[in-house]
Amino acid sequence: VKTTGGSTHFQGLILNSTYTNSALPPYTYFNIDDGLPPWTPPPFRGPITDLGGTTYFWQKTDSGRPPEFYTWNFDVQHQLQQNMVFTIGYTGTRGVHLSSFVLNFNQMDPKYFTQYGRDLLLASITSPAAQAAGIPLPYPGFTGTVNQALKPFPQWGDIQTSGGQPSSIGERAGNTSYHAMTIKLDKRYSSGLTLLSTYVLSKMLGDTDSTAIGGSGRITMDHYNRRLEKALSVDDQTHVFREAFTYALPIGRGRHFALQGLADRLLGGWGVAGFLEYSSGTPRSVGPGLTSVPGGAGNRVFINSYSNWRAPVSGAKFDPFKDVWWNKAAFGLDASGKQMTQTQLLYAGFGNAARFNPQERAPWWLNENITLSKSVDFTERVRLTLRFEAFNLFNRVRMGGPDSTVTS
């Protein structure tokens, strides 16, 4: 343990114990001055310490390590006109040691699922089936299930690498990669118009999309084959187009269509500005709603295609009052394309889908924000500005995500 500047850093397993005293009335605390309830003083790390509970582990390579990002890019510019520049380029980013919650050190090795089968793994270690299979007790007095006995550390239910600690430290096992083609058209002010247009064609991959300080939310399917976690990132957007512009309308005093007097006061000096964004949606996933492999493993759906996940719609477009989003017939399929029963899925092992479907995404983000403004000068020191703003000009509706669990 190293403590510096009010921050404590640990290496190895950490014991968090909760002390109770049944002799006290409900909703009261024991008096520290009277001493702690009976407990085993250090050194006490053994199989019966915090039996069946959760312990915390900080790896030396992770604790307090800042994430690292490596970025490279190049671009080519060409001047189209005196005040207009076209740019095309490439940018890439590699992220390593990112905050994550994917390590599952106490997951039972999935090889035992193939070796012993689900029923035996869920049976008690003292059952006749377990004894006939020759599975030994991991330590004297153990009374749990076979899958618990086969865990690397059978005395604990879970070993968390991002729990019970501040968010600035903890697990750093995440990796991401980002590659993009970028196009930009930049028109400097002339004839009352400025223009900035950008388009990005990109792909983002990763094996972790979030961290969960506090100990919940781990979704890793197989700790022993973490390459299965690499997939499209939850933040991946293939297409992103943005347009920002300002335009002084050519009407009014000093402009192309000059006006005088009251007409200029009413119709002259107007300008319009806007920000437009059109971007493709992020990828979506569907969870199986059940765990096949015991011992702390995750799971995914069985599929035979990524293109048939959406259910048909009754009209020209999706109607949330009539249609459902997911096609349940696309999930839980065996190698022949036949849909498995719930019982068959429990014994089927890990699903074969990636974390996210590359062909099924949230709806496009289409948004237009427009401003219409005019300034009226009464004197050199007094000016009135009229401004009319419209956000989401066409009132486009973008619904939230659907329930994405097969069994729901």
Side-chain angles (χ1 to χ4, degrees), residues 11-24:
Q11 178 181 343
L13 293 167
I14 308 159
L15 175 65
N16 288 356
S17 292
T18 301
Y19 301 104
T20 60
N21 189 337
S22 59
L24 292 175

Side-chain angles (χ1 to χ4, degrees), residues 342-402:
Q342 193 86 342
T343 301
Q344 289 173 325
L345 287 169
L346 287 173
Y347 292 87
F350 293 135
N352 62 349
R355 284 195 303 121
F356 291 98
N357 183 343
Q359 299 182 30
E360 173 51 38
R361 294 174 175 267
W364 276 65
W365 173 259
L366 309 173
N367 189 55
E368 299 87 7
N369 300 326
I370 301 294
T371 298
L372 182 66
S373 62
K374 172 183 172 59
S375 294
V376 180
D377 295 327
F378 292 97
T379 68
E380 290 184 357
R381 301 180 61 183
V382 179
R383 170 181 293 180
L384 172 67
T385 299
L386 303 175
R387 184 183 298 273
F388 303 91
E389 297 181 336
F391 298 94
N392 189 14
L393 179 65
F394 298 108
N395 195 30
R396 302 180 190 272
V397 177
R398 191 169 189 261
M399 293 176 291

Side-chain angles (χ1 to χ4, degrees), residues 39 61 82 232 272 343:
W39 67 300
T61 56
Q82 184 178 0
L232 284 178
V272 62
T343 301

Side-chain angles (χ1 to χ4, degrees), residues 3 12 56 67 75 100 145 160 182 228-229 242 348 379 389 402 406:
T3 304
Y56 305 93
D75 59 60
S100 60
T145 61
Q160 294 181 3
T182 59
L228 297 175
E229 300 305 308
R242 294 187 174 101
T379 68
E389 297 181 336
V406 174

Side-chain angles (χ1 to χ4, degrees), residues 178-221:
Y178 174 81
H179 302 278
M181 177 187 71
T182 59
I183 297 176
K184 182 173 71 171
L185 180 65
D186 186 2
K187 181 186 181 303
R188 301 180 183 89
Y189 183 84
S190 66
S191 303
L193 176 66
T194 62
L195 187 67
L196 179 61
S197 305
T198 63
Y199 170 71
V200 178
L201 175 66
S202 66
K203 188 172 186 178
M204 185 175 182
L205 299 171
D207 58 13
T208 183
D209 294 305
S210 64
T211 183
I213 303 302
S216 61
R218 184 195 290 127
I219 57 172
T220 308
M221 184 167 70

